[in-house]
Amino acid sequence: MFHQIQSRLQEEVSGHIQTRYGLDLAVVLEEPSDAKFGELALTVAFALAKQLKKAPRVIAQELVDDLGTLPGVVAMEIAGAGYINIRLDRGAYAASLIAPPAAATAAAADKVIVEHTNINPNKAAHIGHLRNSVLGDTFVRMLRASGQTVEVQNYIDNTGVQVSDVVAGFHHLEHKTAADVTELAKGDRFDYLCWDLYARTSQHFKDHPEDEKAWQHEALHAIETGEGDLAELGHVVADAIVLCHLRTMRRLGIIYDVLPRESEILHLQFWATAFEQLKERQAIYLETEGNKKGCWVMAGSYYSDSDDDSKVIVRSNGIVTYVGKDIAYQMWKFGVLGKDFHYRKLLTEADGHEVWVSTAEPQPANNAPKFGGGATVYNVIDTRQSYLQDVVAAGLRALGYTGQAERSIHFNYEMVALTPRTCVELGIELSDEDKSKAHVQVSGRKGLGVKANDLLDKLIEKALGEVESRHADATVEERRAVATQIAIGALRYFMLKFTRNTVIAFDLGEALAFTGETGPYLQYAAVRAKKILHKLAEQGDQLDCAALTPEMLARQLASDDFWHLLMRISKVDSAVAKAVTAGEPSHVARYAFQLAQAFSGFYDKYSVKDEADAERKQFLIWMTGYFRQQLERVAAVLGIPLPQYM
RNA sequence: GCGCCCGUAGCUCAGCUGGAUAGAGCGUCUGGCUACGAACCAGAAGGUCGGAAGUUCGAAUCUUUCCGGGCGCACCA
């Protein structure tokens, strides 16, 4: 509602300036730093002053006089050097919240594709992966809450070196066959087993460098041709680990629509098709001299300022690089490749949501949805891969798909590192150099890191202790369910509270916190609001909707305290919209915390149940219900579940 | 060497396209539970926004430069 008023006023003022002064200015209606200045403020007088060569205050006065009375606005005041502060009609505003005009928000026709998670299927997920998935999933929720149609993709690199290293490890170090590993994969901690094996294999390569190339070549070749026991081993490992990852993410409420796999990109010759287009449009050329002789390369001018750099797309041995495959995949996402995968239903989530996976062979009619063909594509990938993402976008541009290149958005974020203190707590040995650093990088090769499942288990265990101390009477299952919700809330909020370009120095103590700016703080506020409503219902106090007249609301909202609270509560849509524009999920998290803070203050200051004044009591009941409703909405956008009690 | 990011309170971080006295959380110190359950609330202390110069009505925010940190710059993914 606030959002609508803001944009409506923005248009009116902007239109007025257009007709009155003939100037096309970007009018900004900002929210004043201090609530005493009103609800909205205009600073255009400053910008106009420059162009019209008049004092800002004089222009502000002109604007106020000309604009006259605007609907929903009770006052426009000139303040400071030339600010125009706008005060809204409190009663009318509140009334509009109760009966919002039916805004027909037709779902957007254009599809937005968000690709996230993308974990190499060779070991357990760690906290770095968690940041990717939580950011991606929350952004998806934000887009959907804003009425966008979104498709969630989780790309599976099931044919890469990372998988082949684990295959080599099983084969050479463990002497296991595909059949043996199939048995092992039935265990519920197969991803942990592979985590250790991957670290051991990496260590073996360090100690015996001569084995590295040979083993990798052998395994990669087998996987690529799809023949023999090693190829089978690769399938078993990747498929089983993908299911482990899906299970891990499901614990956090993260699910996907489709899993496009690299094996299908290879077998369906996506690359060959893309290669033809790239050659035909001369986006790449065959290098005839220098150290890249025999390679198909893309000129550096496509993706950077310098011309002397070029990027190898096809190696001199004829094998395409990762970037090449990614260009083909990106083309498919936009529907400009001219090819599609076949699909098979992988599984159905508890809520009935179907998850599909790509296949090379045509499937019998299975009603697979139409995937790909997005209008905008967000790739959630950490910032270290910016260079490669630039090359992918450059590939589209070189092919003439300039619009698609512009709508290829690298949703980048900084890495998650560990504080030295946390490494010590986890028993990870550090070099003297690492000990002096602010943070230490997670390394899958070294087996260094915090596994996602371990962290969540630790959080549940800790939450369980808190729940048990407060609700000894509840059943074990119930306490566990509540503790799990608290743990999820804590974890998701922790991953979201930082802006994307902040390196998270992961500290176990901070991540385990349930007080202060945390998910549980938000959950607690929502639980308390619900509790009030329960108590009222018990003693027969109901909200009388007929009592909530604009006049009654205006009387109650004459209190600045109530009015400021109401402003805060009513800005969920505004906060989400702004966060989508900024591409910053942390903004939603911050708003949610502020909303919870507002409620905690309200809770402490006013006693709804014992309010003596009948009208005020009705008003407080309404405020409490509205608080709860908005807390629920914003928690859902953040993917934070709300427990029954805490 | 080139490119990108960061440097704000003791610690961890916000600060929207430059806007009105720079904000949170944690930690520290004072208070507040015969309760709509304190996983909470009220209050206090704590900052030359890395340094310098510039742009302008106005700079934590933009420009330049220096200092200090991180990450990229493969015929790996």
Side-chain angles (χ1 to χ4, degrees):
Chain A
M1 180 42 62
F2 180 79
H3 191 48
Q4 291 164 28
I5 290 175
Q6 188 176 20
S7 40
R8 199 193 69 214
L9 289 175
Q10 205 150 316
E11 275 172 36
E12 280 193 44
V13 175
S14 155
H16 173 76
I17 289 173
Q18 175 76 270
T19 53
R20 168 83 205 256
Y21 303 103
L23 292 171
D24 202 8
L25 280 179
V27 173
V28 177
L29 262 174
E30 56 189 39
E31 296 168 47
S33 53
D34 194 319
K36 75 181 177 208
F37 293 128
E39 289 69 55
L40 289 164
L42 278 167
T43 55
V44 275
F46 296 112
L48 283 170
K50 202 168 292 180
Q51 307 223 22
L52 303 174
K53 309 228 188 293
K54 277 199 265 188
R57 276 193 78 102
V58 174
I59 294 168
Q61 189 61 55
E62 277 181 15
L63 281 171
V64 170
D65 291 345
D66 290 353
L67 285 166
T69 50
L70 295 169
V73 174
V74 289
M76 299 215 295
E77 300 155 3
I78 297 162
Y83 292 94
I84 300 173
N85 291 330
I86 297 172
R87 295 184 192 279
L88 300 178
D89 182 331
R90 299 183 177 188
Y93 182 76
S96 72
L97 295 173
I98 293 167
T105 45
D110 284 346
K111 180 160 74 180
V112 177
I113 290 176
V114 178
E115 179 202 336
H116 67 76
T117 302
N118 302 5
I119 311 172
N120 275 308
N122 75 327
K123 61 179 180 302
H126 59 61
I127 47 173
H129 301 128
L130 227 37
R131 187 176 195 184
N132 182 305
S133 304
V134 172
L135 271 176
D137 181 66
T138 304
F139 191 58
V140 168
R141 289 165 188 263
M142 286 161 57
L143 289 170
R144 285 180 174 153
S146 322
Q148 301 267 26
T149 303
V150 186
E151 176 175 308
V152 188
Q153 301 185 357
N154 176 8
Y155 181 71
I156 310 293
D157 181 5
N158 56 347
T159 63
V161 192
Q162 295 227 16
V163 171
S164 89
D165 280 358
V166 171
V167 167
F170 271 124
H171 181 66
H172 292 284
L173 298 179
E174 300 288 298
H175 308 293
K176 299 270 194 250
T177 64
D180 297 334
V181 177
T182 303
E183 278 308 303
L184 282 174
K186 286 178 184 163
D188 56 350
R189 295 207 131 194
F190 184 62
D191 52 344
Y192 278 46
L193 190 150
C194 290
W195 172 287
D196 294 334
L197 179 59
Y198 181 52
R200 267 189 293 132
T201 309
S202 299
Q203 186 59 46
H204 177 87
F205 287 156
K206 238 181 163 178
D207 300 337
H208 308 273
E210 67 280 6
D211 284 342
E212 183 164 7
K213 277 211 162 154
W215 292 12
Q216 283 185 346
H217 181 264
E218 175 190 32
L220 273 175
H221 183 74
I223 289 168
E224 213 159 284
T225 56
E227 282 166 17
D229 197 63
L230 286 188
E232 182 58 24
L233 197 44
H235 279 304
V236 172
V237 170
D239 290 354
I241 297 286
V242 164
L243 292 178
C244 290
H245 291 161
L246 294 185
R247 206 181 310 136
T248 301
M249 295 309 165
R250 188 178 299 121
R251 294 179 78 186
L252 292 166
I254 301 170
I255 57 175
Y256 312 88
D257 295 318
V258 63
L259 275 46
R261 300 188 300 183
E262 178 149 286
S263 49
E264 275 71 59
I265 290 198
L266 292 175
H267 293 141
L268 293 171
Q269 318 228 317
F270 273 30
W271 166 245
T273 309
F275 192 30
E276 285 312 310
Q277 284 198 43
L278 285 163
K279 279 194 287 195
E280 193 182 320
R281 310 212 185 179
Q282 303 185 346
I284 59 176
Y285 63 92
L286 186 62
E287 185 63 75
T288 54
E289 54 193 19
N291 56 358
K292 288 170 187 162
K293 186 178 176 186
C295 298
W296 285 89
V297 303
M298 183 184 294
S301 54
Y302 281 120
Y303 57 90
S304 73
D305 297 333
S306 68
D307 205 18
D308 45 67
D309 204 16
S310 65
K311 180 72 193 166
V312 173
I313 304 297
V314 182
R315 303 184 184 96
S316 53
N317 62 7
I319 296 176
V320 61
T321 60
Y322 158 79
V323 188
K325 280 180 283 192
D326 225 31
I327 290 172
Y329 176 37
Q330 191 75 359
M331 287 170 72
W332 170 78
K333 284 179 182 165
F334 280 111
V336 297
L337 183 69
K339 270 197 169 173
D340 197 2
F341 298 103
H342 301 292
Y343 302 96
R344 167 172 70 79
K345 195 194 295 176
L346 179 65
L347 53 87
T348 304
E349 299 287 351
D351 66 354
H353 181 84
E354 295 176 348
V355 182
W356 295 73
V357 63
S358 61
T359 63
E361 305 302 322
Q363 302 293 308
N366 58 12
N367 297 319
K370 172 87 186 89
F371 295 114
T376 304
V377 174
Y378 288 90
N379 294 327
V380 183
I381 307 177
D382 88 77
T383 201
R384 285 174 291 188
Q385 300 204 38
S386 294
Y387 166 70
L388 293 166
Q389 282 293 302
D390 287 347
V391 177
V392 170
L396 290 176
R397 212 173 300 121
L399 285 165
Y401 300 120
T402 50
Q404 285 83 350
E406 272 165 35
R407 293 188 301 278
S408 295
I409 299 162
H410 179 197
F411 199 85
N412 62 334
Y413 61 93
E414 271 291 354
M415 60 177 175
V416 181
L418 302 174
T419 59
R421 189 177 69 181
T422 294
C423 289
V424 172
E425 280 173 34
L426 296 170
I428 296 170
E429 280 189 39
L430 293 179
S431 66
D432 287 341
E433 193 195 340
D434 282 343
K435 278 178 199 162
S436 64
K437 285 186 175 173
H439 47 74
V440 182
Q441 272 196 60
V442 170
S443 163
R445 287 201 165 270
K446 292 180 192 158
L448 206 131
V450 177
K451 296 184 196 78
N453 278 320
D454 285 351
L455 178 57
L456 192 51
D457 289 342
K458 264 199 165 79
L459 280 160
I460 291 172
E461 195 185 329
K462 192 184 171 202
L464 202 51
E466 300 283 341
V467 174
E468 278 168 354
S469 71
R470 280 158 237 233
H471 303 280
D473 51 329
T475 66
V476 176
E477 295 75 28
E478 200 177 271
R479 288 189 307 219
R480 185 146 196 101
V482 169
T484 302
Q485 290 180 307
I486 292 169
I488 293 166
L491 185 49
R492 286 192 66 123
Y493 193 91
F494 180 81
M495 287 296 170
L496 292 170
K497 70 192 287 190
F498 304 94
T499 52
R500 278 160 47 199
N501 62 2
T502 297
V503 176
I504 298 182
F506 183 86
D507 184 83
L508 197 55
E510 273 178 38
L512 289 173
F514 291 160
T515 62
E517 197 195 334
T518 63
Y521 179 94
L522 169 65
Q523 294 171 317
Y524 190 54
V527 164
R528 297 215 288 185
K530 189 76 160 201
K531 190 66 180 288
I532 293 177
L533 299 171
H534 269 308
K535 284 273 175 182
L536 287 164
E538 268 176 25
Q539 60 180 43
D541 277 317
Q542 292 276 333
L543 177 64
D544 176 13
C545 293
L548 298 171
T549 61
E551 295 73 29
M552 176 270 209
L553 292 166
R555 271 195 300 279
Q556 294 301 325
L557 289 167
S559 149
D560 283 345
D561 196 29
F562 285 156
W563 175 239
H564 296 154
L565 283 171
L566 187 65
M567 286 308 296
R568 172 68 73 198
I569 314 172
S570 64
K571 287 181 180 175
V572 173
D573 295 309
S574 172
V576 171
K578 278 200 226 169
V580 166
T581 306
E584 195 51 271
S586 68
H587 289 348
V588 180
R590 186 156 296 273
Y591 168 77
F593 175 66
Q594 287 169 346
L595 179 60
Q597 260 186 328
F599 178 76
S600 295
F602 171 83
Y603 181 93
D604 198 70
K605 202 164 170 184
Y606 305 100
S607 178
V608 184
K609 188 165 63 81
D610 301 324
E611 175 57 50
D613 181 84
E615 180 178 292
R616 167 151 302 202
K617 185 164 189 174
Q618 279 298 310
F619 177 76
L620 291 175
I621 294 173
W622 173 66
M623 283 280 274
T624 306
Y626 189 41
F627 252 124
R628 169 71 195 192
Q629 178 201 322
Q630 297 297 79
L631 281 164
E632 280 175 11
R633 290 184 61 214
V634 76
V637 173
L638 294 172
I640 293 177
L642 297 179
Q644 287 302 304
Y645 55 81
M646 280 178 77

